[in-house]
Amino acid sequence: MENINNDSTQAPPSGAGGLSRRSFLKSSALTGGGLMLSFSWFSEAKAAEKLSELNLAETWSELTGYIKITPENVIKIFCPNPEFGQNVMTSLPMMVAEELDCDWKNVVVEMGTHDNVKFGAQFTGGSNSVRMYWKPLRAAGASARQMLIEAAAQTWAVPASEISTKAGVLSHKSGKSAKYGQMASKAATIAVPKDAKTKAVKDFTIISKSKKNAEGTKIVTGKPLFGLDYRVDGMLIAMIQHPPAFGMKLKSFNAAQALKMPGIKDVYSFKLYDEGFEQGGFDTRTFNELLVVVGNSTWEVMNARKKLSVQWEPAGDVKETMMGRGGKREVTIPGRLETTSKQFEMMAEFAKKPATQLRKDGDPEAAFKNAAQVIERTYNAPFLAHNTMEPMNFFAHVQADKALVAGPIQAPGWMEPTLSKILNLPADKIEIQMTRMGGGFGRRAYAQYVYEAARISQKVKAPVKLVYTREDDMTYGIYRPMYTATYRAALDANKNLIGFHVTGGGIPESPIHANRFPAGALDNYLADSWEIPSNITIGAFRAPRSNFNAAAEQSFLDEVAEAMGKDPIQLRLDLLKRAKANPVGKNNDYDADRYIGVLELLKEKSGWGKPENAGKKRGVAAYFCHASYAGHVVDMVIKNGEPYVEHVTSAVDCGVVINPDAARNMVEGAVVDGIGQSFYGALTHKDGAAEQNNFHNYRMIRHNEAPQKIDVHFVENEIDPTGLGEPPFPPVFGAVANALFKTTGKRYYNQPFSVEQPQS
């Protein structure tokens, strides 16, 4: 059997007892000689309990870094986190290599398999990867370097303090030298230092220097990396026939014709979760009873699925037990068949009702009552589909006493407990291998496709790969929620901003972040919220909630600036300087100084307000989320009769930048994605059924619609790295909306901005 992500020399897992927040180190010699150093950071908190703390870096300090050095001086660094294009397979090993003081040319990177004991969380999402690994992986590299120095000191009978390292070579002033590989076996016998000193930022030689993608060659030469590449002998293919609409369920089926098709092994229905099953925080599932077709090949299964005769019926209200996100609770999923136009009407009605107050500073009611002018605007956005380029898929081989599962996943540690329960197998009998992901954006953190594959393999008693078509995922997906928000600003007779109110909600969750800017910058501030339950399944979508909040907030601030007669960047700077000098409240979740730094860099690099740019149609937006700050200036023109984003200037403060090339790529990707979603992103429903099922009617940005140029600039500082995968994305929406106003003379309040999108 081919294990494309398994290292045959990997040390066996240690026991899981004695978990604590204290870091511990251990070393062990490997077969054939060499050094492996592992660092484990454990937490007593369960994975589901961590969900609500995704943005707290210290909560995510649970990880393991492995360093393997062979006698031939090849240094293998295991990446613990799943990779879906953000380049953690390069950036995380760079942190280890920096402190190890090795030659990057000698480094080989390999994806580690899932192991809660060795690697901790292994979660890719929430823009957490680099920031949660920053200290532990550097410590791992520094400790390994110190062990190599001690080994050389003992071998040469000289003080360790007289030995230096550079590019993987140990040197002594006597002229003696050795490559790391020559000392690796001896170093493995030396006690691991507890407090190895790490480098100062100014001394970095690998970090902050651009390195090419560690998997670049494999990608361009078509090596098996992705879940769809995974193959084993005897593997079957499975596909699911799900209800045609949210709010429907399976009534009966006839598979006689499908079973006659070539290559078909089985057709049957199954329940993903048994009655009374307690779902974890990421155990989202769309339909519980499913119809599956199993056969030899994708083509054969697709054709057989068309021959099924199926009857569906209304599901009615469904009660479920949920864990995580606030503890155990009972929820009722409504059974109605939902339609987009009626959903927007429902949100408009809910917005008129009293909402749940999230934050109140000062006396906002009096501020609005006494205002000389009140500005009020409402913003709306539809469901969005993730549309990962690699269709959803997963492999499972479940046997009586063990299971192997493999594929593209973002959070293996959160999936393992549920796999253990539904398969009735101990967690240590389940091996989880992580393939490279062809896109994630939050979609692959929700594991119903993993559980489905495992259930199917267990039933047919064979290795199985479950494959979704594009149509399956788009109509059976996990979506970005529908949102609406109303912003109000109160101005006095002198055009001063004296009050601010944001109220919002969504289906089925609210987007409102009560403590985000401009909270803390105004004496009178109010934020409240509401939600409408739904049977349409939702989940994290690149910068959850923030991608809508930034669009609405930053569009609104431009209108406020216009009413006040102020430059839009200057208004933001004035508010932030107030929040820095004399903040209101204690729960503001942003650093005003870093926010100011991004706006000032953006203003400088874009030439904002310079006479030579006076004729440009420009929009600006800046936003804080996932611990980082990002802003964009969008230059727009009319091209072939349509608005076109020609040039974008971006400024980001994400602390120390690990790999500049990869960081720029992340920002550029966020800009293109944001422009596309702003203009075109929309998934609508009619009577519970998705009206878009593939790219012919779910519009994506095209190559010729991407900007001609994206200039990316980073604030230079020595702050520990913060998030980057998500923060550049949200402010794109607001910058595009503000540029549209400058270009067309019209304000845009409803996404998507393109009139080409179908509306229900």
Side-chain angles (χ1 to χ4, degrees):
M1 184 173 72
E2 179 186 8
N3 286 350
I4 63 175
N5 280 312
N6 189 46
D7 177 27
S8 60
T9 63
Q10 188 168 339
S14 58
L19 304 186
S20 73
R21 288 189 179 275
R22 293 180 178 271
S23 304
F24 75 88
L25 315 169
K26 68 180 180 179
S27 63
S28 60
L30 299 179
T31 303
L35 165 69
M36 176 175 275
L37 176 67
S38 71
F39 276 62
S40 299
W41 277 261
F42 298 123
S43 170
E44 295 173 355
K46 295 178 181 178
E49 295 169 351
K50 299 172 190 170
L51 178 61
S52 63
E53 301 178 0
L54 281 177
N55 293 327
L56 301 178
E58 62 271 18
T59 308
W60 291 96
S61 296
E62 303 177 13
L63 52 101
T64 308
Y66 284 96
I67 305 165
K68 176 183 174 185
I69 305 174
T70 70
E72 295 76 26
N73 208 42
V74 176
I75 298 169
K76 180 177 284 188
I77 299 176
F78 292 88
C79 179
N81 255 27
E83 168 71 77
F84 59 60
Q86 75 281 41
N87 213 15
V88 293
M89 286 283 285
T90 307
S91 58
L92 297 184
M94 284 175 67
M95 295 191 288
V96 178
E98 177 65 70
E99 298 294 348
L100 185 59
D101 208 9
C102 64
D103 189 337
W104 181 252
K105 294 177 183 177
N106 293 331
V107 171
V108 175
V109 177
E110 183 172 315
M111 181 71 233
T113 56
H114 170 64
D115 191 317
N116 271 331
V117 175
K118 290 180 181 177
F119 290 98
Q122 290 186 276
F123 172 72
T124 294
S127 297
N128 273 290
S129 290
V130 167
R131 59 185 169 124
M132 79 181 186
Y133 284 93
W134 174 245
K135 291 181 180 178
L137 287 187
R138 289 175 61 214
S143 293
R145 173 178 170 272
Q146 188 60 39
M147 292 164 71
L148 289 161
I149 288 174
E150 291 291 345
Q154 293 178 20
T155 301
W156 297 334
V158 298
S161 59
E162 294 180 359
I163 296 175
S164 61
T165 62
K166 184 176 182 181
V169 176
L170 297 144
S171 302
H172 183 254
K173 61 183 180 181
S174 65
K176 294 179 179 178
S177 67
K179 294 181 178 179
Y180 284 178
Q182 295 171 263
M183 296 292 173
S185 293
K186 188 172 185 64
T189 68
I190 294 172
V192 179
K194 295 180 179 180
D195 300 304
K197 186 178 180 181
T198 55
K199 296 181 181 180
V201 172
K202 64 181 178 59
D203 295 326
F204 287 161
T205 60
I206 294 177
I207 291 175
S208 298
K209 308 295 189 296
S210 291
K211 303 297 180 187
K212 297 301 180 184
N213 191 317
E215 293 193 305
T217 301
K218 295 177 182 177
I219 293 170
V220 300
T221 56
K223 300 295 183 183
L225 290 171
F226 299 92
L228 284 175
D229 296 325
Y230 201 98
R231 298 284 188 276
V232 301
D233 293 337
M235 184 181 77
L236 300 177
I237 297 295
M239 290 184 131
I240 285 172
Q241 184 73 15
H242 62 77
F246 293 90
M248 300 292 287
K249 68 177 182 179
L250 179 66
K251 180 179 181 181
S252 63
F253 69 94
N254 186 323
Q257 294 302 312
L259 287 167
K260 293 178 182 178
M261 297 291 285
I264 301 307
K265 301 296 184 182
D266 203 357
V267 179
Y268 66 96
S269 64
F270 71 101
K271 289 186 177 180
L272 183 59
Y273 302 137
D274 296 331
E275 295 298 326
F277 183 83
E278 295 182 355
Q279 297 179 44
F282 271 63
D283 286 348
T284 302
R285 63 108 182 93
T286 306
F287 304 103
N288 197 46
E289 188 170 6
L290 302 161
L291 185 56
V292 63
V293 180
V294 184
N296 290 329
S297 71
T298 305
W299 181 247
E300 288 171 328
V301 172
M302 287 178 68
N303 283 323
R305 193 170 60 160
K306 296 175 184 177
K307 298 294 184 179
L308 292 171
S309 175
V310 192
Q311 290 74 47
W312 312 97
E313 63 182 353
D317 292 355
V318 176
K319 291 186 178 180
E320 295 187 340
T321 303
M322 305 293 295
M323 298 296 292
R325 305 192 192 197
K328 182 178 178 179
R329 67 197 188 284
E330 299 292 329
V331 297
T332 299
I333 309 299
R336 62 179 178 266
L337 302 180
E338 303 187 28
T339 296
T340 297
S341 58
K342 293 180 180 178
Q343 288 171 323
F344 276 120
E345 291 173 5
M346 191 183 303
M347 288 199 300
E349 287 300 314
F350 261 73
K352 298 174 184 177
K353 300 176 182 179
T356 301
Q357 183 175 296
L358 302 179
R359 174 169 172 159
K360 182 178 179 180
D361 296 327
D363 191 348
E365 293 86 356
F368 280 95
K369 181 179 179 180
N370 298 324
Q373 181 182 359
V374 173
I375 306 164
E376 179 175 325
R377 300 291 184 265
T378 297
Y379 303 85
N380 297 293
F383 287 109
L384 294 178
H386 286 84
N387 289 326
T388 57
M389 289 296 99
E390 177 193 16
M392 304 303 292
N393 67 91
F394 210 76
F395 170 85
H397 189 191
V398 179
Q399 301 176 65
D401 59 346
K402 63 181 180 179
L404 166 66
V405 298
I409 47 176
Q410 290 181 230
W414 294 352
M415 300 169 183
E416 184 183 72
T418 298
L419 276 172
S420 179
K421 285 193 289 185
I422 67 173
L423 297 177
N424 196 26
L425 284 173
D428 62 1
K429 297 298 182 182
I430 301 173
E431 180 181 354
I432 302 176
Q433 295 185 11
M434 294 166 286
T435 63
R436 189 180 181 92
M437 291 174 267
F441 312 114
R443 174 64 182 90
R444 300 190 200 270
Y446 299 88
Q448 93 280 4
Y449 65 108
V450 176
Y451 311 147
E452 290 165 355
R455 284 278 205 192
I456 295 167
S457 175
Q458 189 177 48
K459 169 67 166 60
V460 301
K461 295 180 172 58
V464 168
K465 182 190 288 183
L466 173 67
V467 178
Y468 285 19
T469 63
R470 178 68 58 195
E471 290 84 356
D472 290 336
D473 188 42
M474 205 174 288
T475 60
Y476 174 46
I478 308 291
Y479 308 121
R480 198 284 301 270
M482 294 181 71
Y483 290 131
T484 187
T486 297
Y487 283 76
R488 300 169 66 225
L491 305 184
D492 66 14
N494 296 317
K495 300 295 185 181
N496 296 310
L497 180 58
I498 59 172
F500 198 93
H501 177 205
V502 55
T503 181
I507 298 176
E509 72 169 19
S510 169
I512 302 302
H513 288 279
N515 299 318
R516 295 270 171 92
F517 176 77
L522 294 155
D523 291 325
N524 304 300
Y525 174 86
L526 177 64
D528 42 38
S529 173
W530 49 265
E531 297 175 345
I532 301 174
S534 173
N535 54 42
I536 296 176
T537 322
I538 60 99
F541 184 105
R542 195 174 192 173
R545 298 193 290 161
S546 296
N547 52 53
F548 172 76
N549 279 341
E553 170 204 289
Q554 293 293 303
S555 297
F556 184 67
L557 285 176
D558 259 39
E559 287 208 57
V560 173
E562 184 181 30
M564 295 174 68
K566 276 197 172 185
D567 174 83
I569 289 184
Q570 193 58 50
L571 171 63
R572 291 164 171 83
L573 287 172
D574 290 346
L575 289 169
L576 286 164
K577 288 173 182 176
R578 160 69 197 278
K580 177 183 176 181
N582 188 21
V584 179
K586 298 180 180 179
N587 297 321
N588 308 320
D589 61 4
Y590 60 93
D591 182 323
D593 205 36
R594 293 181 71 184
Y595 216 142
I596 289 168
V598 161
L599 281 167
E600 289 180 339
L601 180 63
L602 186 61
K603 185 175 181 180
E604 173 197 344
K605 297 299 183 181
S606 68
W608 184 271
K610 294 288 182 66
E612 60 267 28
N613 294 317
K616 292 181 178 179
K617 309 301 182 183
R618 323 188 86 180
V620 65
Y623 197 71
F624 159 79
C625 74
H626 296 85
S628 289
Y629 304 78
H632 309 287
V633 168
V634 163
D635 291 348
M636 189 175 287
V637 298
I638 296 298
K639 179 181 175 182
N640 299 324
E642 298 291 337
Y644 166 66
V645 176
E646 185 175 57
H647 181 212
V648 178
T649 305
S650 304
V652 180
D653 181 353
C654 59
V656 173
V657 177
I658 307 300
N659 187 352
D661 269 1
R664 280 190 293 270
N665 290 342
M666 295 248 285
V667 178
E668 291 166 354
V671 167
V672 174
D673 190 14
I675 293 169
Q677 298 290 354
S678 299
F679 276 112
Y680 311 116
L683 188 130
T684 59
H685 293 86
K686 186 172 184 179
D687 296 328
E691 294 186 290
Q692 296 78 33
N693 65 359
N694 210 319
F695 295 135
H696 70 289
N697 57 6
Y698 191 104
R699 180 81 152 79
M700 302 288 285
I701 191 169
R702 296 164 184 161
H703 285 289
N704 67 333
E705 293 165 339
Q708 293 180 9
K709 189 175 183 182
I710 304 172
D711 290 319
V712 181
H713 307 275
F714 293 96
V715 175
E716 294 183 8
N717 56 42
E718 296 187 2
I719 297 171
D720 288 356
T722 49
L724 187 57
E726 289 157 296
F729 182 63
V732 177
F733 293 78
V736 169
N738 292 331
L740 275 168
F741 172 68
K742 296 295 185 181
T743 305
T744 67
K746 298 178 181 179
R747 294 283 182 187
Y748 286 74
Y749 303 105
N750 302 300
Q751 295 174 33
F753 302 143
S754 170
V755 296
E756 297 177 5
Q757 285 301 305
Q759 299 292 327
S760 295

